[in-house]
Amino acid sequence: MVNTRTALIAGNWKMNLDHLQAIAFVQKLAWALDDAKHDYAAVEVAVFPPFTDLRSVQTLISADKLKVAFGAQDVSAQESGAYTGEISAAFLAKLDAQYVIIGHSERRTLHNETDEVVAAKTAAALKHKLVPVICVGETAEDLEKHGPSAVPVAQLEVALGQVSADSEIVVAYEPVWAIGSGQAATPEQAEQVCAALRSTLREKLGDAIADRTRILYGGSVKSSNIAGFMREPNVDGALVGGASLDVNEFAGIARFPQHVGL
Ligand code: 13P
């Protein structure tokens, strides 16, 4: 089957850039992409700023009709109520956020998010028509003990608990050992796990969702290594951390078709 999936280059800012810096950044990003005649229909570009930036980013994108998409870095599994500090999917939907990152390894390790929490957050996002970017990935220790795809596949199986065959989701494979280490996986390693994740989608939810769901690779992606990943048949984009904080570098990643020869 021919791959008709639109590539997605997503920038996870983590806890960087305040709302004023966010406005300047998104403006510059849009200019850089426009200057390069970026084809957004071929490569979608999305940013994931901190919660406090989202309203500013939304206002800018809507006023200037920018084609950059945006999402949040986390969401509550709860609908509303006495959950101090939490942000509901309804609030994010009201801000026109299209996406939300769920189960990033930093939330799994630093905030003890289990696979069950990830599944509940995924369901909350889908209920409000947000596209969950479900993150999975193994530690170096997992890799040694269980091989390359066992842990990410097991994480995805639980996360899909309340996902149905007609849901729109994105899956991001982010090996923990590659995040922020400068030591990216090889394109072959990424392809092997992304292919296994696609098979999991196929087995659990059918061909249509497996064929249309974008599976991203994340972990030390830069403009100089994106081409190798994007040549792989089961890698449909990247979730970028550090390199998404530099406008020209991030725009360079989004412009991968120009240096990949695709
Ligand atoms: P780096 O690109 O900084 O390795 O981070 C990856 C990541 O965690 C994106 O969510």
Side-chain angles (χ1 to χ4, degrees):
M1 124 130 225
V2 183
N3 175 358
T4 53
R5 298 181 290 273
T6 305
L8 172 61
I9 299 298
N12 174 11
W13 294 1
K14 309 191 180 182
M15 199 169 73
N16 294 289
L17 306 183
D18 63 33
H19 74 288
L20 297 175
Q21 293 169 319
I23 292 169
F25 185 98
V26 173
Q27 235 155 11
K28 280 189 213 148
L29 176 64
W31 289 331
L33 292 171
D34 283 356
D35 272 355
K37 305 211 172 355
H38 184 71
D39 181 0
Y40 288 91
V43 182
E44 189 182 353
V45 180
V47 294
F48 291 78
F51 285 128
T52 49
D53 299 4
L54 291 176
R55 174 65 171 155
S56 305
V57 168
Q58 176 216 11
T59 307
L60 170 68
I61 287 177
S62 132
D64 290 2
K65 300 191 171 45
L66 306 182
K67 297 195 187 93
V68 176
F70 72 97
Q73 298 174 15
D74 184 29
V75 67
S76 172
Q78 311 297 335
E79 189 60 35
S80 67
Y83 300 100
T84 302
E86 294 289 282
I87 302 290
S88 75
F91 297 165
L92 297 177
K94 200 79 173 175
L95 275 176
D96 300 329
Q98 296 102 306
Y99 295 101
V100 58
I101 294 173
I102 295 178
H104 191 279
S105 73
E106 286 148 20
R107 297 218 55 93
R108 290 178 187 263
T109 25
L110 304 173
H111 301 271
N112 303 315
E113 286 191 13
T114 60
D115 291 336
E116 288 69 28
V117 168
V118 172
K121 290 186 170 191
T122 299
L126 288 172
K127 182 173 173 213
H128 289 279
K129 311 232 169 340
L130 297 165
V131 177
V133 179
I134 303 168
C135 299
V136 296
E138 80 290 357
T139 62
E141 202 188 348
D142 292 334
L143 182 62
E144 189 137 307
K145 252 204 208 144
H146 308 286
S149 45
V151 168
V153 163
Q155 289 173 337
L156 182 62
E157 279 175 348
V158 180
L160 293 178
Q162 295 175 68
V163 174
S164 58
D166 59 0
S167 302
E168 186 183 351
I169 62 169
V170 170
V171 177
Y173 167 52
E174 296 208 309
V176 180
W177 47 269
I179 294 177
S181 66
Q183 188 65 57
T186 64
E188 295 72 25
Q189 281 174 313
E191 169 61 18
Q192 185 184 3
V193 179
C194 291
L197 294 171
R198 198 174 303 286
S199 300
T200 304
L201 283 170
R202 199 174 300 285
E203 282 154 27
K204 284 195 76 93
L205 293 167
D207 286 338
I209 188 167
D211 290 338
R212 78 167 180 273
T213 295
R214 287 163 309 169
I215 303 183
L216 315 181
Y217 165 74
S220 299
V221 171
K222 304 177 277 215
S223 61
S224 58
N225 64 15
I226 183 69
F229 294 111
M230 296 311 296
R231 281 196 196 97
E232 298 295 341
N234 284 292
V235 180
D236 305 312
L239 184 54
V240 186
S244 77
L245 298 171
D246 177 316
V247 173
N248 292 324
E249 179 63 13
F250 188 55
I253 295 171
R255 293 205 312 271
F256 73 84
Q258 288 167 12
H259 40 115
V260 120
L262 287 174

